[in-house]
């Protein structure tokens, strides 16, 4: 594992963006695993800037997002599909049909999970997976549990995740209680992993995940077994102009 600590949030975001950009430059048809939340926003801003300067081209890439709330459609501003469109995809030259996000309004969410895994298999896996980390150690919506779950699955969100994500909704009651998330198997099978985290409140969980015991109580701890993980951390809180 490579651990890099930067002074500012923006330096952290820029370094992560550099790794994604290098991935696409060296393999234009890369499969990029992408994440939502506040932390990656600066990463997407850098990539959009470089795309606008003609420094990076996403026309042959495919993206696979980690998760989506059950019940939210793509027109819902709280859905992760909406987040990805507005914060990234609408500003770059990736064909929308090659941007995969689980469908939160699928009639049968379990069938959607199985279909999502099949699509990732057909892509021969993820080349580079960008991850955030929850304060409880979750990655995607793989919440602390008794076991690691390998495949894409429907999860009931923990109270701490619902509380943390309530800031994006009008009321905590509006936060969906269920989500579809990529399982730990697909995440671990990504050929490279870049995890971004910032803010004093994340310092302890980053340390615990990468130096503590490997346990499903801290899902990110499983990343210790991955041979190519870069962790980028900045103590600086997400600046106001970046946060959603
Ligand atoms: P955040 O979320 O970037 O909004 O802190 C990270 C996560 O929960 O994975």
């Amino acid at each position: 594992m490579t651990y890099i600590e930067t002074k500012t949030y923006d330096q952290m975001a820029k370094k992560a963006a550099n790794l994604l950009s290098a991935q696409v430059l060296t393999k234009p048809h890369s499969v990029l695993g992408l994440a939502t939340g506040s932390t990656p926003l600066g990463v997407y801003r850098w990539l959009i800037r470089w795309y606008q300067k003609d420094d990076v081209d996403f026309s042959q890439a495919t993206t696979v997002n980690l998760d989506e709330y059950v019940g939210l459609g793509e027109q819902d501003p709280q859905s992760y599909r909406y987040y990805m469109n507005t914060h990234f995809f609408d500003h770059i030259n990736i064909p929308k049909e090659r941007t995969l996000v689980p469908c939160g309004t699928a009639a049968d969410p379990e069938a959607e999970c199985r279909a999502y895994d099949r699509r990732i298999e057909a892509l021969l896996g993820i080349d580079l997976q960008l991850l955030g980390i929850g304060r409880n150690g979750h990655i995607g919506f793989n919440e602390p549990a008794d076991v690691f779950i390998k495949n894409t699955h429907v999860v009931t969100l923990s109270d701490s995740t619902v509380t943390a994500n309530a800031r994006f909704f009008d009321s905590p009651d509006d936060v969906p209680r269920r989500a579809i998330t990529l399982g730990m198997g697909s995440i671990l099978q990504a050929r490279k992993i870049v995890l971004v985290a910032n803010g004093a409140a994340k310092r302890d969980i980053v340390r615990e995940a990468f130096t503590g015991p490997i346990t499903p109580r801290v899902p990110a701890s499983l990343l210790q077994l991955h041979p190519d993980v870069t962790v980028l951390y900045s103590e600086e809180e997400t600046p106001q102009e970046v946060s959603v």
Side-chain angles (χ1 to χ4, degrees), residues 135-206:
R135 287 183 195 188
N136 62 2
H138 74 201
I139 49 176
F141 275 133
N142 288 276
E143 297 282 50
D146 294 333
V147 290
F148 292 111
I149 299 180
K150 184 178 170 198
N151 294 321
T152 300
H153 57 284
V154 178
V155 64
T156 300
L157 302 183
S158 70
D159 291 344
S160 75
T161 297
V162 170
T163 306
N165 290 4
R167 69 190 194 280
F168 302 119
F169 291 80
D170 291 338
S171 138
D173 293 340
D174 294 342
V175 185
R177 269 20 190 200
R178 291 195 310 153
I180 292 174
T181 184
L182 216 64
M184 296 301 294
S186 304
I187 295 173
L188 257 281
Q189 279 166 24
R191 290 178 265 286
K192 285 180 199 292
I193 292 181
V194 176
L195 184 142
V196 286
N198 73 300
K202 295 260 178 92
R203 186 180 278 284
D204 286 351
I205 193 65
V206 169

Side-chain angles (χ1 to χ4, degrees), residues 103-125:
C103 178
T105 53
D108 180 348
E110 305 290 346
E112 170 65 8
C113 292
R114 292 191 293 276
Y116 206 66
D117 279 337
R118 281 197 302 272
R119 292 173 85 180
I120 296 169
E121 269 169 42
L123 291 166
L124 305 179

Side-chain angles (χ1 to χ4, degrees), residues 13-136:
K14 191 174 185 181
K15 284 189 193 303
N18 261 310
L19 293 170
L20 269 89
S21 171
Q23 174 67 43
V24 176
L25 286 172
T26 51
K27 183 178 175 188
H29 58 285
S30 287
V31 179
L32 301 175
L34 298 180
T36 50
S38 308
T39 320
L41 282 171
V43 181
Y44 299 137
R45 279 165 48 128
W46 276 109
L47 291 172
I48 292 166
R49 241 175 265 170
W50 295 334
Y51 163 70
Q52 288 168 345
K53 285 174 60 191
D54 228 1
D55 285 343
V56 57
D57 171 12
F58 295 96
S59 62
Q60 295 179 65
T62 299
T63 63
V64 175
N65 259 80
L66 279 171
D67 45 16
E68 179 60 283
Y69 289 115
V70 170
L72 300 193
E74 66 179 88
Q75 302 305 332
D76 192 313
Q78 310 301 346
S79 74
Y80 287 166
R81 162 54 78 180
Y82 186 94
Y83 167 115
M84 289 308 303
N85 286 349
T86 54
H87 293 296
F88 194 35
F89 301 147
D90 287 348
H91 309 282
I92 59 168
N93 63 339
I94 190 160
K96 276 280 166 55
E97 62 275 13
R98 287 218 304 275
T99 65
L100 312 190
V101 180
C103 178
T105 53
D108 180 348
E110 305 290 346
E112 170 65 8
C113 292
R114 292 191 293 276
Y116 206 66
D117 279 337
R118 281 197 302 272
R119 292 173 85 180
I120 296 169
E121 269 169 42
L123 291 166
L124 305 179
I126 295 166
D127 288 302
L128 186 154
Q129 176 68 57
L130 176 66
L131 294 173
I133 182 171
R135 287 183 195 188
N136 62 2

Side-chain angles (χ1 to χ4, degrees), residues 45 237-244:
R45 279 165 48 128
E237 300 300 329
T238 310
Q240 201 67 43
E241 73 275 9
V242 179
S243 52
V244 279

